[in-house]
Amino acid sequence: MLAANEEWAGQASGLGLPAAPARGVAVVACMDARMDVYRLLGLAPGEAHVIRNAGGVVTDDVLRSLAISQHVLGTREVVLVHHTRCGLTGADEAAFADQVQRATGQRPPWPMRAFADVDDDVRESVRLVRESPYLLTAEVRGTVYDVDTGRLRDVA
Ligand SMILES: [Zn+2]
């Protein structure tokens, strides 16, 4: 990765841009390694914040990041990107907690945030963003990315 960065540094894009995203948008997406979030949304460096975690779920830390994105750096739109074949779809919360506990001796105090249906979780995430008292009443859009076709689908 350091060697790759040597090459990148000679041709890097986004250098010298202002920190505020040019398109005024913050994306919340799953950390899934198959998703190149900038490219699948047609975004260039400097255009959007991309906040990622397992599932792309709206946690307290996502709300913290969105509040900074909006109040400090001026974004007004939020795009949520969940995806097909996500590891959190149908995952077993108790089995995960057991697994962590067996491996480390500690039971995690936070939920895994598994969900049964990806569309339902997108709708729940949209609701959590819209109802957060710390965010502006921004445009919020929920989507599901298909990791087999590359297509992004709006979730009504
Ligand atoms: Zn995922």
Side-chain angles (χ1 to χ4, degrees), residues 103-150:
T104 68
Q106 300 295 317
R107 197 162 187 85
W110 24 259
M112 182 190 201
R113 292 288 304 271
F115 43 82
D117 179 87
V118 69
D119 283 35
D120 286 346
D121 200 69
V122 168
R123 283 187 280 270
E124 170 68 0
S125 299
V126 168
R127 186 187 66 77
L128 289 170
V129 171
R130 286 207 174 117
E131 292 183 1
S132 171
Y134 307 105
L135 299 179
L136 303 167
T137 50
E139 173 87 10
V140 185
R141 172 157 273 177
T143 67
V144 174
Y145 176 72
D146 187 321
V147 295
D148 294 303
T149 67

Side-chain angles (χ1 to χ4, degrees), residues 54-105:
V57 297
V58 176
T59 61
D60 281 350
D61 195 64
V62 166
L63 294 172
R64 178 189 70 88
S65 294
L66 287 174
I68 293 167
S69 179
Q70 292 191 342
H71 300 292
V72 180
L73 291 159
T75 65
R76 291 296 178 267
E77 291 179 56
V78 179
V79 176
L80 303 163
V81 185
H82 285 34
H83 65 97
T84 60
R85 297 203 284 126
C86 183
L88 286 194
T89 307
D92 185 327
E93 294 268 352
F96 170 71
D98 290 346
Q99 186 179 2
V100 173
Q101 189 166 18
R102 271 196 310 277
T104 68

Side-chain angles (χ1 to χ4, degrees), residues 17-71:
L17 295 173
R23 287 172 66 168
V25 63
V27 177
V28 179
C30 183
M31 68 184 188
D32 192 285
R34 295 165 290 189
M35 289 164 56
D36 185 339
V37 174
Y38 277 90
R39 292 185 69 192
L40 75 90
L41 295 173
L43 295 168
E47 291 189 334
H49 285 139
V50 177
I51 302 157
R52 301 187 74 170
N53 65 23
V57 297
V58 176
T59 61
D60 281 350
D61 195 64
V62 166
L63 294 172
R64 178 189 70 88
S65 294
L66 287 174
I68 293 167
S69 179
Q70 292 191 342
H71 300 292

